[in-house]
């Protein structure tokens, strides 16, 4: 016989949960919305978040406040967001390292258990940059130089970064040996690359493009499937003969798991509208960020696919963060 008392309790609990969710959705937001950026001010994640916080705040009737919670490769800020109340008043703006870091570090958060994807904001390529003094003008010429001189050094913003993975992936496909020099952030890596102290860089495109346009660096390849709008003249890795190498650096918005579905849906709509705003689109273009948008389910699929891809890359390329 069915236990009607148990069934009754379950029904009451389910109805109460629905009523709570509806109430949150109707009253939200009741206070400023916090946008956690797990990196310092001035970087691409911060640049992407700030105009959205303002625009979405205006649409919701509550101010958006950007909070930079930095450290440990972004993990401190991500964990702070994971532990926040799931009431729609805390958002996380994170790059694709949210899908790769779990394969590299012991973490207090999990991208699937602790977060709900809201929307993809933007993407940009990892670029293969060289100092003019190296004397190469194409990927093929760099491969030839690396075969003549095994162990050529290349700079990235850090061990375990997408830049590190892209360069090791390139080396594996090309059959060459390169020596990784990880920096603590892209700023000093670019400074040394421009000065010629290191001749090769695998770096995010945004901070490199001004030096490229000034003629101080050459760009040999970019890692996206298609050429980025900001670099229409630079071939992709695949076009340059490095088949299969496709890697987007992306940014997206997440909320803590348990955030009501109608809040997630409203955030997706309002952030999507903001991304379509010509003023914000121009600010993104100036930072070499390509706005994306789309549905929450689209973004959730990307998160899952990249999580699986980085698991393979970390394993197959023996990526370590010593």
């Amino acid at each position: 016989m069915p236990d009607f008392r148990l069934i009754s309790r379950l029904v009451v609990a389910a109805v109460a949960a629905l009523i709570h969710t509806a109430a949150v959705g109707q009253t939200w937001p009741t206070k400023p919305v916090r946008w956690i950026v797990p990196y310092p001010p001035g970087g691409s994640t911060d640049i992407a978040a700030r105009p959205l916080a303002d625009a979405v705040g205006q649409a919701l009737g509550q101010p958006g406040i950007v909070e930079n919670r930095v450290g440990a490769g972004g993990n401190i800020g991500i964990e702070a967001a994971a532990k926040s109340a799931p009431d729609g008043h805390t958002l996380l703006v994170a790059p694709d390292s949210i899908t790769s870091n779990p394969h590299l570090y012991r973490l207090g958060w999990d991208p699937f258990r602790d977060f709900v994807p809201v929307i993809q904001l933007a993407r940009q390529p990892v670029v293969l940059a060289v100092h003019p003094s190296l004397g190469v003008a194409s990927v093929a010429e760099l491969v030839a130089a690396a075969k003549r001189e095994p162990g050529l050094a290349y700079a990235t913003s850090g061990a375990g970064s997408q830049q590190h993975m892209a360069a090791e992936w390139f080396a594996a496909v090309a059959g060459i040996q390169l020596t990784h020099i990880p920096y603590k952030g892209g700023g000093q890596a670019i400074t040394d690359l421009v000065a010629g102290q290191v001749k090769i860089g695998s770096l995010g495109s945004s901070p490199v493009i001004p030096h490229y346009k000034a003629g101080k660096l050459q760009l040999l390849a970019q890692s996206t499937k298609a050429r980025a709008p900001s670099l229409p003249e630079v071939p992709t890795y695949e076009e340059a003969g490095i088949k299969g190498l496709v890697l987007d650096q992306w940014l997206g918005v997440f909320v803590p798991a348990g955030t009501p579905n109608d809040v997630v849906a409203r955030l997706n709509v309002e952030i999507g509208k903001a991304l379509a705003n010509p003023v914000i689109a121009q600010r993104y273009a100036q930072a070499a960020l390509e706005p994306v948008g789309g549905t929450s389910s689209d973004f959730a699929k990307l998160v899952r696919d990249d999580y699986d891809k980085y698991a393979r890359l970390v394993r197959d390329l023996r990526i370590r963060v010593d």
Side-chain angles (χ1 to χ4, degrees):
M1 293 289 292
D3 187 337
F4 291 106
R5 288 177 298 179
L6 175 60
I7 293 173
S8 177
R9 287 197 297 269
L10 292 173
V11 169
V12 170
V15 170
L18 289 173
I19 292 172
H20 172 73
T21 297
V24 171
Q26 289 170 3
T27 60
W28 170 86
T30 60
K31 59 184 179 180
V33 176
R34 180 173 60 146
W35 296 62
I36 292 181
V37 172
Y39 297 97
S44 58
T45 309
D46 185 75
I47 289 170
R50 288 187 181 275
L52 294 180
D54 290 340
V56 174
Q58 291 178 21
L60 296 178
Q62 288 284 354
I65 300 173
V66 174
E67 181 179 320
N68 299 92
R69 296 287 295 272
V70 306
N75 292 324
I76 289 176
I78 295 173
E79 184 167 355
K83 293 180 177 178
S84 298
D87 58 7
H89 292 97
T90 298
L91 315 182
L92 170 69
V93 183
D96 49 358
S97 58
I98 197 172
T99 62
S100 59
N101 281 2
H103 306 296
L104 296 163
Y105 301 91
R106 291 184 178 180
L107 300 172
W109 55 268
D110 178 273
F112 305 108
R113 179 193 67 215
D114 296 323
F115 292 104
V116 174
V118 176
I119 191 169
Q120 183 181 359
L121 298 182
R123 60 179 165 238
Q124 64 172 313
V126 175
V127 293
L128 180 62
V130 296
H131 192 269
S133 65
L134 188 61
V136 301
S138 68
V139 167
E141 290 182 8
L142 177 58
V143 170
K147 288 182 176 179
R148 291 192 304 269
E149 188 180 344
L152 286 174
Y154 73 92
T156 72
S157 65
S161 64
Q162 280 61 35
Q163 303 159 17
H164 181 195
M165 294 189 203
E168 292 299 321
W169 194 353
F170 159 54
V173 174
I176 58 177
Q177 179 186 347
L178 299 174
T179 299
H180 182 212
I181 302 179
Y183 284 74
K184 294 181 179 179
Q188 189 59 48
I190 293 169
T191 297
D192 284 0
L193 182 61
V194 170
Q197 295 181 28
V198 61
K199 305 291 185 172
I200 304 168
S202 178
L203 296 159
S205 61
S206 296
V208 172
I209 286 176
H211 301 288
Y212 162 64
K213 293 191 178 298
K216 297 178 181 178
L217 296 174
Q218 294 175 280
L219 297 186
L220 306 185
Q222 54 183 314
S223 66
T224 38
K225 182 69 176 178
R227 298 185 184 192
S230 55
L231 294 170
E233 70 286 358
V234 177
T236 66
Y237 269 106
E238 289 203 308
E239 289 173 331
I242 309 302
K243 299 304 180 185
L245 200 168
V246 177
L247 189 152
D248 283 2
Q249 285 195 139
W250 51 255
L251 297 169
V253 173
F254 299 80
V255 291
T259 300
N261 291 337
D262 53 349
V263 171
V264 175
R266 178 78 187 281
L267 284 168
N268 177 273
V269 168
E270 297 301 343
I271 295 171
K273 289 179 182 177
L275 289 172
N277 183 309
V279 174
I280 292 177
Q282 179 61 29
R283 290 185 67 174
Y284 273 41
Q286 290 170 350
L289 294 169
E290 180 185 355
V292 178
T295 67
S296 297
S297 58
D298 290 338
F299 186 34
K301 182 179 186 304
L302 174 64
V303 170
R304 169 54 69 181
D305 288 348
D306 271 13
Y307 180 88
D308 294 341
K309 176 172 71 178
Y310 288 127
R312 293 192 300 272
L313 290 175
V314 168
R315 181 190 66 237
D316 294 347
L317 300 174
R318 296 181 176 86
I319 302 295
R320 297 290 182 270
V321 286
D322 299 327

